[in-house]
Amino acid sequence: MKLTNIKLIATDLDGTILEHGKISNQFDLEMLKKVSEQGVHVAVVTGQGWSSGSVRAKMFDVDKHSNISIFSNGSVISRVSSFEPTYCETIDIELVKEFMQKMFELNIPTLAYTKIPAHAYWNKLDINVKSLKERNWVDKYDIEAVDVETFENYQDVIQFMIFVEEQEEAAMLEWFETTNKSTVLNKMRSNVESTPIYEFINVNASKGNGVLKLAELLNVKLDEILIFGDNMNDISMFEVIPNSVAMGNSVPAIKKIAKYETDTNLNGGVGKFIEKYVLKGE
């Protein structure tokens, strides 16, 4: 299985090369830097916005080589060293108003992230997620609390993030389905935190579409791309990129559709795969 033709490596962050925001294994860092120095483009593909995602991309020297990555689950493609988006998919303002009002009605804490780095509108409901509070996660953002009944000036929203307790989850999903929101929004559920978190972006945006657009920008063919991922929001990449690698710690749905599987993130699965099949070409 030789993959010596690879020109772009696109990798998820948490659960893939990070563990709760920190480098999960130094070997991954070494191999990603080494392959970059040999001319392979390395980009992160993350659900995080540019402000936090770019910081983590810099851990792997992405800003020193290709200097471009995919943020907000494919809604934004930007340089890493500075916020200079080459692609941005926003959500219709009337849909933003409807979504924010409905989540407030269902008692679901909601953030509506904009393309402005680290900025989000908040519907004033307490985000009571223990694992996030322990990391002072919300304090890292410029949160603008709004009255969802009267506020009209939503600008350039690219992503919703909601924090759903079990008793509200069924009602939220029923509303999403009965109002056909799947025709305008992509929905992703994360099992990483102590409370289920859903993210929604424009239906035209996804990690998969983001990788395809990035490949166009870099003039890279599909069979010259290698992707790594572990969770549900990575599925769109695995559906469109032939050379897909699931982490050993991946959710079953990712392993089922991946072409390859590697070791866990804590055991340097990304680095091991790159060294064996990209650098050595075994």
Side-chain angles (χ1 to χ4, degrees):
M1 180 174 74
K2 293 185 177 181
L3 292 170
T4 51
N5 67 319
I6 296 301
K7 294 182 180 179
L8 168 62
I9 293 175
T11 177
D12 173 54
L13 286 176
D14 268 315
T16 302
I17 54 176
L18 298 180
E19 181 72 9
H20 293 304
K22 298 181 180 179
I23 293 174
S24 53
N25 192 288
Q26 288 295 319
F27 190 64
D28 292 339
L29 177 64
E30 294 170 13
M31 291 300 103
L32 285 168
K33 286 183 176 182
K34 186 172 183 179
V35 80
S36 292
E37 290 166 356
Q38 294 189 11
V40 176
H41 297 289
V42 172
V44 302
V45 189
T46 177
Q48 298 180 38
W50 179 86
S51 59
S52 57
S54 62
V55 172
R56 286 156 178 78
K58 289 175 183 177
M59 295 178 182
F60 300 91
D61 284 355
V62 174
D63 57 317
K64 297 177 182 177
H65 298 282
S66 301
N67 195 25
I68 192 167
S69 283
I70 301 166
F71 305 96
S72 300
N73 280 319
S75 295
V76 174
I77 298 176
S78 173
R79 290 171 63 87
V80 173
S81 58
S82 58
F83 186 64
E84 299 176 42
T86 58
Y87 169 79
C88 184
E89 193 74 64
T90 60
I91 300 171
D92 179 78
I93 191 169
E94 294 302 319
L95 177 57
V96 175
K97 294 177 186 177
E98 179 187 2
F99 193 97
M100 293 292 281
Q101 289 173 2
K102 187 61 182 182
M103 293 305 106
F104 185 79
E105 177 187 321
L106 294 175
N107 195 39
I108 297 174
T110 302
L111 295 174
Y113 289 97
T114 72
K115 73 176 186 179
I116 299 172
H119 175 262
Y121 302 107
W122 172 47
N123 67 354
K124 297 184 180 179
L125 296 175
D126 184 33
I127 302 173
N128 190 28
V129 181
K130 182 180 178 182
S131 50
L132 297 182
K133 285 189 171 183
E134 289 174 348
R135 292 184 275 147
N136 297 316
W137 179 82
V138 175
D139 297 339
K140 300 174 183 178
Y141 296 94
D142 175 19
I143 303 299
E144 182 177 349
V146 299
D147 183 337
V148 299
E149 297 296 332
T150 61
F151 189 74
E152 297 285 333
N153 195 32
Y154 293 104
Q155 297 291 319
D156 295 324
V157 171
I158 59 174
Q159 181 181 25
F160 298 117
M161 180 178 287
I162 66 174
F163 308 84
V164 192
E165 298 296 339
E166 183 177 352
Q167 58 269 29
E168 285 97 24
E169 188 172 13
M172 182 276 294
L173 291 173
E174 181 181 8
W175 170 79
F176 190 84
E177 293 169 7
T178 58
T179 57
N180 296 315
K181 288 296 180 288
S182 60
T183 62
V184 288
L185 293 172
N186 279 329
K187 169 174 61 69
M188 294 146 285
R189 187 183 193 275
S190 172
N191 301 311
V192 174
E193 303 296 343
S194 53
T195 296
I197 296 175
Y198 282 82
E199 297 172 75
F200 304 83
I201 57 178
N202 190 302
V203 72
N204 295 318
S206 67
K207 283 191 173 186
N209 285 342
V211 174
L212 294 178
K213 290 181 182 297
L214 181 57
E216 289 179 13
L217 289 170
L218 299 175
N219 195 27
V220 173
K221 299 175 183 177
L222 286 187
D223 64 354
E224 297 172 334
I225 305 170
L226 181 64
I227 60 168
F228 293 90
D230 74 300
N231 215 327
M232 297 303 293
N233 65 345
D234 298 317
I235 281 184
S236 61
M237 293 195 297
F238 282 61
E239 290 175 335
V240 297
I241 305 301
N243 295 315
S244 55
V245 187
M247 305 304 296
N249 52 286
S250 296
V251 297
I254 290 291
K255 291 183 178 181
K256 185 177 180 179
I257 63 174
K259 185 174 183 179
Y260 308 112
E261 185 174 335
T262 188
D263 208 336
T264 66
N265 64 324
L266 294 179
N267 288 333
V270 169
K272 289 177 179 177
F273 193 93
I274 290 173
E275 181 185 46
K276 185 172 183 178
Y277 299 113
V278 180
L279 294 173
K280 292 184 178 180
E282 293 184 8

